[in-house]
């Protein structure tokens, strides 16, 4: 696709994150927009912002897990613009839970959005996309389609399903004017973890806030950078896109050793967590004074705090801390004193 000017672009999950950044980026390229999200309030704010900037934009609150809702969205695209040129199936959520304690309702919720949302979007819009001389489906997967990690089994499965579905659909549409682009982002600084369903996270973090803090630290790519990369791939006619250095490294690792890549990544994650825990214990020990054995045991169990019975160690130079006395200067050593000492030293006589 040579240009997005005057093209009709439909974006799901547009109220925040990559979806919002995509709407703004497509608008900069002159596209006409139909944006959708289950968050009606956030969607309305984005719609008002775009319209105030002079962008041709329509909105429709949509739950992508509902196939009928996607049919209504497709009908809105036809009614407003005569049909879509590009459909970006972006809506997604995450769930953190071990398989053994997984609630089937949580699993169905995630698969309904991450996988069936993509399927529903493709099926609803394909009839009108086929009427265009050139059209494109953009399905957002993840680098976790290749690399799997503990407590993310359903997220991994949904994104791997999107990847396989997109590859199969691309083969079915070969020879038509409809292309399929599958996108695999790495860590993107969105609010996906803020809205995630966090169940038993003990395998990966000590607290929900600690998990969110680690995600914010490790997610290096901004939504705006991700949107620019996706629009660039649309214009270049690509079929596969990796976003972020982390995604490219993990994809290379997966290609190098498909059977071992996930195990290596999991081992690295555990090592990083142990290192963070050791650093926290070290910081706690640095700020706490000597303590009996029972307090040391409590300190090890509660890193980051000074247990009862141990006083915070005072730093040098703080009020109330005694300063060491300066060393007493001795007599200066002179050359004459050194010669006198050598004259007084007895000579050693070698035995015959």
């Amino acid at each position: 696709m040579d240009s997005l000017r005057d093209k009709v672009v439909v974006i799901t999950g547009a109220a925040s994150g990559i979806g919002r950044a995509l709407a703004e980026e497509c608008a900069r390229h002159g596209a006409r927009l139909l944006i959708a999200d289950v968050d009606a309030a956030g969607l309305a704010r984005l719609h008002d912002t775009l319209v105030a900037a002079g962008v041709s934009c329509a909105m429709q609150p949509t739950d992508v897990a509902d196939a009928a809702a996607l049919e209504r969205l497709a009908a809105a695209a036809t009614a407003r613009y005569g049909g879509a040129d590009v459909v970006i199936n972006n809506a997604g959520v995450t769930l953190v839970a071990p398989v053994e304690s997984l609630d089937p309702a949580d699993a169905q919720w995630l698969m309904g959005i991450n996988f069936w949302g993509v399927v529903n979007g493709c099926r609803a819009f394909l009839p009108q996309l086929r009427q265009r001389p050139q059209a494109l489906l953009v399905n957002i997967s993840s680098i976790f389609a290749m690399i799997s990690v503990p407590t993310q089994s359903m997220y991994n499965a949904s994104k791997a399903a999107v990847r396989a579905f997109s590859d199969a659909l691309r083969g079915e549409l070969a020879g038509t004017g409809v292309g399929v682009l599958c996108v695999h982002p790495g860590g993107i600084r969105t609010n996906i973890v803020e809205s995630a369903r966090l169940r038993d996270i003990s395998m990966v973090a000590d607290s929900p806030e600690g998990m969110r803090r680690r995600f914010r630290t490790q997610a290096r790519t901004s939504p705006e950078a991700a949107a620019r990369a996706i629009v660039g791939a649309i214009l270049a006619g690509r079929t596969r896109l990796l976003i972020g250095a982390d995604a490219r490294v993990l994809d290379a690792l997966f290609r190098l050793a498909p059977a071992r890549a996930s195990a290596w990544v999991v081992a690295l994650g555990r090592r990083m967590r142990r290192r963070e825990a050791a650093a926290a214990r070290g910081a706690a020990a640095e700020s706490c004074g000597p303590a009996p054995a029972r307090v040391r045991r409590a300190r090890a169990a509660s890193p980051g705090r000074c247990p009862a019975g141990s006083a915070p160690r005072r730093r040098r130079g703080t009020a109330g801390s005694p300063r060491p006395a300066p060393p007493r200067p001795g007599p200066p050593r002179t050359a004459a004193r050194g010669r006198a000492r050598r004259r007084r030293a007895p000579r050693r006589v070698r035995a015959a």
Side-chain angles (χ1 to χ4, degrees), residues 50-234:
L50 293 172
V51 170
V55 178
S56 176
C57 179
M59 58 166 276
Q60 183 158 318
T62 305
D63 179 3
V64 298
D66 181 1
L70 265 302
E71 294 289 347
R72 291 192 294 271
L73 185 66
T78 302
R80 175 70 182 263
Y81 297 117
D85 297 289
V86 179
V87 177
I88 305 178
N89 293 302
N90 166 74
V93 293
T94 192
L95 164 69
V96 180
V99 173
E100 286 185 301
S101 60
L102 180 65
D103 185 343
D106 287 340
Q108 292 169 5
W109 165 76
L110 181 141
M111 292 298 289
I113 297 170
N114 288 11
F115 175 60
W116 283 106
V118 172
V119 176
N120 294 337
C122 292
R123 285 174 49 82
F125 280 92
L126 264 175
Q128 58 188 266
L129 292 176
R130 284 180 175 274
Q131 304 303 315
R132 300 299 209 193
Q134 194 177 24
L136 184 66
L137 286 162
V138 182
N139 297 334
I140 307 298
S141 177
S142 168
I143 189 58
F144 280 163
M146 283 75 86
I147 301 295
S148 299
V149 295
T151 72
Q152 292 280 310
S153 57
M154 295 311 301
Y155 186 80
N156 293 142
S158 69
K159 293 304 184 179
V162 169
R163 174 193 176 198
F165 173 81
S166 300
D167 289 345
L169 180 60
R170 189 182 302 112
E172 293 176 10
L173 296 174
T176 71
V178 184
V180 179
L181 166 63
C182 191
V183 180
H184 301 279
I188 310 296
R189 293 194 299 271
T190 68
N191 63 354
I192 189 170
V193 176
E194 304 296 331
S195 59
R197 292 188 180 182
L198 304 181
R199 301 313 186 198
D200 181 4
I201 64 171
S202 58
M203 295 180 67
V204 293
D206 296 324
S207 66
E209 181 52 39
M211 182 175 182
R212 294 186 180 104
R213 184 170 55 250
R214 184 182 306 163
F215 174 80
R216 289 191 293 266
T217 301
Q218 295 177 353
R220 303 295 180 88
T221 306
S222 69
E224 292 75 19
R228 288 193 296 270
I230 293 170
V231 170
I234 292 173

Side-chain angles (χ1 to χ4, degrees), residues 206 210 213-214 271-288 296 298-307:
D206 296 324
R213 184 170 55 250
R214 184 182 306 163
R271 184 179 303 174
M272 291 174 63
R273 190 181 174 197
R274 287 196 299 268
R275 189 174 299 172
E276 290 173 0
R281 287 194 298 270
E286 182 67 22
S287 62
C288 298
R296 289 198 298 271
R299 184 181 300 159
S302 303
R305 295 184 301 171
C306 292

Side-chain angles (χ1 to χ4, degrees), residues 341-349:
R341 180 174 294 177
R342 285 195 296 272
R343 283 197 298 270
R344 287 196 301 269
R347 290 185 179 182
R348 294 183 180 180
V349 180

